[in-house]
Amino acid sequence: MVTLDSVSRIYKNGESIVRALDQVSLKIGDGEFLSIAGPSGSGKTTMLNLIGCLDDFDEGELYIDGHPIGKMSAKERTAFRRNNLGFIFQSYNLIPVLSAFENVSFVLELLKMDQGAIKEQTYKILAEVGLSGLEERRPSELSGGQQQRVAIARALVKGPKLVLADEPTANLDSKTGEEILALMKAMNERRGTTFIFSTHDAMVMEYARRLVVLHDGSVVSDEQRGR
Amino acid sequence: MFLLRLAVKNLSRYKRRTIITAVAIAVGIAMFLIVDSMLLGVEQESERNLKWYETASLRIHTRAWWEDRLFLPLDDAIEEPTPIVEMLVHSGYQAVSRTRFAAELILGYEEFGDDGYIPVTITAIGEDDGRVYRFGESLAEGRFFTPGEMDGLVLGSWLAEDIGAKVGSVLTVSVRGKGGFYEAFDAQVVGLVNCPNPNVNRTLVMMDIEAADQYLGMDGSVTNIDIRIADTRDLEAVQRQIQQQLDPSLVVLNWKDLAQDYLALVSSKQGGSYMILLLIFIIAAVGISNTMLMAMYERSGEIAMMRAMGMEGGALWTAFLLEAGLIGLLGSLIGSLLGILANLYLVEVGVDLSFMLRDLDMGFRITNVMYGAWNVGAFIIAGIGGTALSMLGAVLPIRRALKSTVVAALGRQ
């Protein structure tokens, strides 16, 4: 699914050079439920941004589903994201003037699907994430957990093979956070979608079936978990 | 469709800011419409008053007279005007002969309280002058001179007021006749004209054409033949047609040729007005630019999310341009509504400027009330212009927002 082959991301600030990711090699298979952990500045978000085709890397190569991302133009990467990737953000990033339904369906609008299919798929995914009956509510009329459920529905509605989540439970209380993780895991199992999420929360790490720990831009541990 | 829906919904997001920006645009649009209406109204009325009281539609001079027109040369008069007037009347036009000449009005101490003189241009007219001009409706006091009346003068009411003349006042007229001889005669003010053309009220001196013929030794010649053409006719086509029928020593001029100073003034005043409007629009554009900049800044996370989800730059441009355009459209609609209300008042009631037009020569040929005029084209321009301007004002903020990377925008949250 995802292969990082000696990937480095280097930031230059005047004379100083920071290797946010340093020669990282990693293989992530289909259907994995993987957490990237590590302290602040360890390179978690940088790695997610690279896998999400949102940022450029300076060395190595990244393959997603066999596609060499480094060889793609910016336009091709936008199209690749649109067709293949889903994102969940820490602060949900829902559009406040749109209803839950519209926040989810807009992803399908980008794919220029017909309105009937958009309606059907959107209602279905909202039901799957437990938001039946709340489709017409705006984000301000939903709780934090419900908003993150809308964000999960938005990431999954087009049926991507890979979903990336940057600290998805950081803005939630522990009970709601656990519910969200349970939901993500259920979706992973039901749909076979690969989930990669970053965290520094021990409870979140507990949920991962594979835990990759970064420190100073390098992988310091990579272990399979039983749960 | 989704982009339009999103733009419409985003308008309701910052209601106060949207309304303030739209109102700023509306004020600019309304001012544009008001100024345009007044300029057009003033132009239309000035054009009418020029033709009715100063230039007629067309005028025939000898080419020699036209070349030396600043000196009003009597030696270059039209020697045989009658056949030309008859030809014109036969062709279906209204035409009259006139003679314009330079003179001095000498004011006596007994009559005016001081000795002195003023240079004037006297227009000598015949009894058929009403076929082309409208002075008959503008007599404010006294009467018109009768045909052949040797000592009757009609003055513009403001000129009479300025020199202290009244109906019955006697003054001396000093002129140089055809060939250069000097002549002077006493004349009595028999009437005062107050017409809608301030230039005429301020300068008009008229006398009978037969009397002028005798005093100036014109022997039946006149300096010009003035022609009235219906406004519905193609003036320049008629001008060419008449020119073809005349001796080449004669030239046919239209009112625009004769009122070039007025046209230059209108053009420069329009330029000044449009500069003011441009400034108003720039202020409105800066307003919308600021509104969009704030919107972009506040929505950087959303924009980054949409880009991460695979929204193309073009679609984002469309979404935000639509949003700015809708604010502009809203402003244009409010501005047009205000413009319609203001125009209704301007067209029906007008603005009374009599307090300033008497002493201030603005160059326009209007007196007292300045009326507006409807200009559908201006409303269309205002609508399209307001919307397009708003979109233009949004270009820089959108460019700036899309210039930053998705990662940087997410990091700013």
Side-chain angles (χ1 to χ4, degrees):
Chain A
M1 172 90 241
V2 179
T3 303
L4 286 95
D5 182 7
S6 303
V7 169
S8 298
R9 179 68 173 111
I10 302 163
Y11 293 105
K12 289 176 187 161
N13 187 7
E15 293 292 299
S16 65
I17 292 173
V18 178
R19 298 184 79 90
L21 272 191
D22 192 6
Q23 301 278 318
V24 170
S25 292
L26 194 68
K27 284 193 179 198
I28 302 166
D30 282 345
E32 287 207 39
F33 197 69
L34 180 148
S35 174
I36 302 168
S40 290
S42 60
K44 304 187 296 290
T45 301
T46 302
M47 184 183 269
L48 273 187
N49 287 340
L50 292 180
I51 298 171
C53 309
L54 298 173
D55 200 3
D56 296 314
F57 44 87
D58 300 289
E59 293 168 0
E61 185 54 279
L62 165 68
Y63 300 90
I64 301 177
D65 242 7
H67 298 283
I69 303 303
K71 292 189 169 55
M72 288 183 184
S73 67
K75 206 173 167 64
E76 285 169 336
R77 271 191 286 169
T78 301
F80 188 80
R81 286 200 303 271
R82 187 166 58 238
N83 293 312
N84 300 289
L85 305 183
F87 292 90
I88 299 167
F89 302 97
Q90 179 182 331
S91 46
Y92 329 132
N93 285 350
L94 300 177
I95 300 173
V97 290
L98 300 184
S99 65
F101 178 89
E102 289 167 322
N103 264 292
V104 175
S105 65
F106 110 84
V107 176
L108 301 180
E109 301 264 6
L110 295 181
L111 295 173
K112 301 193 183 350
M113 288 174 63
D114 74 83
Q115 290 301 313
I118 289 176
K119 210 169 172 179
E120 190 190 327
Q121 273 183 237
T122 306
Y123 275 115
K124 191 176 165 204
I125 193 71
L126 282 169
E128 273 192 64
V129 299
L131 290 176
S132 280
L134 303 177
E135 294 91 345
E136 296 311 314
R137 292 210 185 163
R138 289 192 175 190
S140 59
E141 297 164 330
L142 298 170
S143 68
Q146 286 170 329
Q147 288 185 51
Q148 195 60 303
R149 282 169 189 264
V150 175
I152 292 169
R154 183 179 63 191
L156 289 168
V157 70
K158 64 186 171 192
K161 288 181 181 166
L162 175 62
V163 170
L164 299 151
D166 189 11
E167 310 221 17
T169 59
N171 282 3
L172 301 170
D173 60 69
S174 56
K175 185 172 172 286
T176 313
E178 202 161 351
E179 284 171 9
I180 290 296
L181 279 168
L183 175 65
M184 284 166 57
K185 198 159 190 179
M187 290 298 179
N188 162 257
E189 284 163 2
R190 198 180 307 157
R191 293 172 161 252
T193 309
T194 306
F195 274 79
I196 303 174
F197 49 96
S198 66
T199 189
H200 52 248
D201 182 337
M203 182 269 286
V204 178
M205 290 177 216
E206 282 299 307
Y207 264 85
R209 276 200 296 271
R210 182 178 169 190
L211 180 65
V212 173
V213 181
L214 294 177
H215 193 268
D216 287 343
S218 299
V219 176
V220 291
S221 97
D222 182 355
E223 59 177 293
Q224 296 290 334
R225 319 276 290 215
R227 187 169 171 171
Chain B
M1 200 59 198
F2 164 73
L3 296 178
L4 183 63
R5 214 164 55 231
L6 180 64
V8 171
K9 290 198 171 186
N10 272 328
L11 284 187
S12 64
R13 192 162 175 174
Y14 314 103
K15 282 195 190 79
R16 190 177 297 174
R17 202 189 294 165
T18 301
I19 289 168
I20 289 171
T21 312
V23 164
I25 294 166
V27 169
I29 297 277
M31 286 188 74
F32 166 73
L33 293 172
I34 290 168
V35 171
D36 179 79
S37 164
M38 292 185 82
L39 274 177
L40 188 65
V42 164
E43 273 178 55
Q44 285 178 353
E45 198 179 340
S46 291
E47 184 181 324
R48 191 193 64 201
N49 288 337
L50 269 162
K51 290 183 194 168
W52 284 6
Y53 301 100
E54 266 187 85
T55 62
S57 307
L58 296 173
R59 180 177 284 176
I60 300 170
H61 284 295
T62 64
R63 289 189 190 278
W65 190 97
W66 181 241
E67 280 168 21
D68 291 338
R69 58 188 174 276
L70 291 177
F71 306 105
L72 302 171
L74 296 176
D75 294 341
D76 297 318
I78 302 167
E79 295 299 330
E80 297 286 344
T82 309
I84 299 171
V85 171
E86 283 173 356
M87 178 272 288
L88 290 166
V89 171
H90 184 70
S91 301
Y93 306 118
Q94 298 293 341
V96 292
S97 301
R98 283 181 150 201
T99 289
R100 293 176 70 225
F101 57 98
E104 285 175 358
L105 296 184
I106 299 168
L107 313 174
Y109 176 81
E110 284 182 18
E111 187 79 39
F112 296 95
D114 205 358
D115 287 326
Y117 70 92
I118 56 163
V120 293
T121 299
I122 297 180
T123 305
I125 65 169
E127 62 179 328
D128 57 354
D129 200 70
R131 295 208 307 234
V132 173
Y133 291 99
R134 304 240 176 173
F135 287 106
E137 304 159 11
S138 308
L139 195 67
E141 216 176 308
R143 62 176 175 80
F144 268 95
F145 34 77
T146 53
E149 185 173 342
M150 294 300 288
D151 60 352
L153 288 183
V154 169
L155 303 185
S157 58
W158 294 358
L159 172 65
E161 199 177 300
D162 290 342
I163 64 176
K166 298 180 181 64
V167 173
S169 297
V170 176
L171 33 74
T172 304
V173 180
S174 168
V175 295
R176 291 186 75 176
K178 192 175 180 181
F181 67 89
Y182 287 93
E183 178 66 279
F185 56 93
D186 288 336
Q188 186 178 38
V189 178
V190 296
L192 301 178
V193 157
N194 191 332
C195 72
N197 184 328
N199 197 41
V200 170
N201 292 341
R202 204 174 273 127
T203 60
L204 181 77
V205 182
M206 286 197 297
M207 68 181 294
D208 178 63
I209 197 164
E210 288 174 32
D213 187 86
Q214 288 189 37
Y215 286 127
L216 302 170
M218 296 297 285
D219 292 329
S221 61
V222 297
T223 55
N224 43 292
I225 295 167
D226 294 1
I227 308 161
R228 179 157 68 87
I229 306 288
D231 289 337
T232 49
R233 300 197 64 168
D234 180 348
L235 187 69
E236 282 163 8
V238 174
Q239 183 183 3
R240 281 194 300 275
Q241 189 191 338
I242 294 173
Q243 182 69 66
Q244 282 166 4
Q245 296 177 62
L246 295 177
D247 184 276
S249 65
L250 300 173
V251 61
V252 184
L253 303 153
N254 65 38
W255 72 270
K256 291 177 188 168
D257 301 319
L258 298 162
Q260 281 172 3
D261 55 337
Y262 161 75
L263 291 176
L265 182 96
V266 167
S267 168
S268 68
K269 284 194 175 164
Q270 265 181 344
S273 305
Y274 287 130
M275 280 302 289
I276 294 168
L277 287 171
L278 183 68
L279 286 175
I280 292 168
F281 278 128
I282 287 172
I283 291 166
V286 169
I288 193 135
S289 194
N290 183 50
T291 299
M292 292 307 291
L293 194 66
M294 287 168 79
M296 296 289 168
Y297 185 74
E298 287 165 4
R299 283 189 241 158
S300 61
E302 276 169 50
I303 296 169
M305 177 276 293
M306 290 193 277
R307 291 170 72 189
M309 295 292 184
M311 198 171 197
E312 300 273 4
L316 280 162
W317 268 98
T318 308
F320 289 114
L321 283 178
L322 276 173
E323 191 174 327
L326 284 171
I327 296 176
L329 186 64
L330 184 67
S332 300
L333 289 175
I334 298 170
S336 295
L337 191 66
L338 292 174
I340 288 170
L341 292 175
N343 227 25
L344 279 172
Y345 181 83
L346 288 172
V347 171
E348 297 300 326
V349 182
V351 181
D352 189 350
L353 298 175
S354 54
F355 67 96
M356 59 186 280
L357 288 177
R358 168 65 182 90
D359 299 313
L360 179 68
D361 183 5
M362 290 167 69
F364 291 119
R365 278 17 178 217
I366 57 157
T367 50
N368 303 332
V369 181
M370 187 182 262
Y371 288 101
W374 290 103
N375 184 2
V376 177
F379 280 86
I380 294 169
I381 289 170
I384 295 171
T387 309
L389 190 88
S390 301
M391 292 168 110
L392 201 67
V395 165
L396 280 179
I398 298 172
R399 235 182 108 181
R400 192 174 156 178
L402 297 187
K403 217 174 167 181
S404 77
T405 63
V406 178
V407 171
L410 285 171
R412 269 202 300 276
Q413 279 189 277

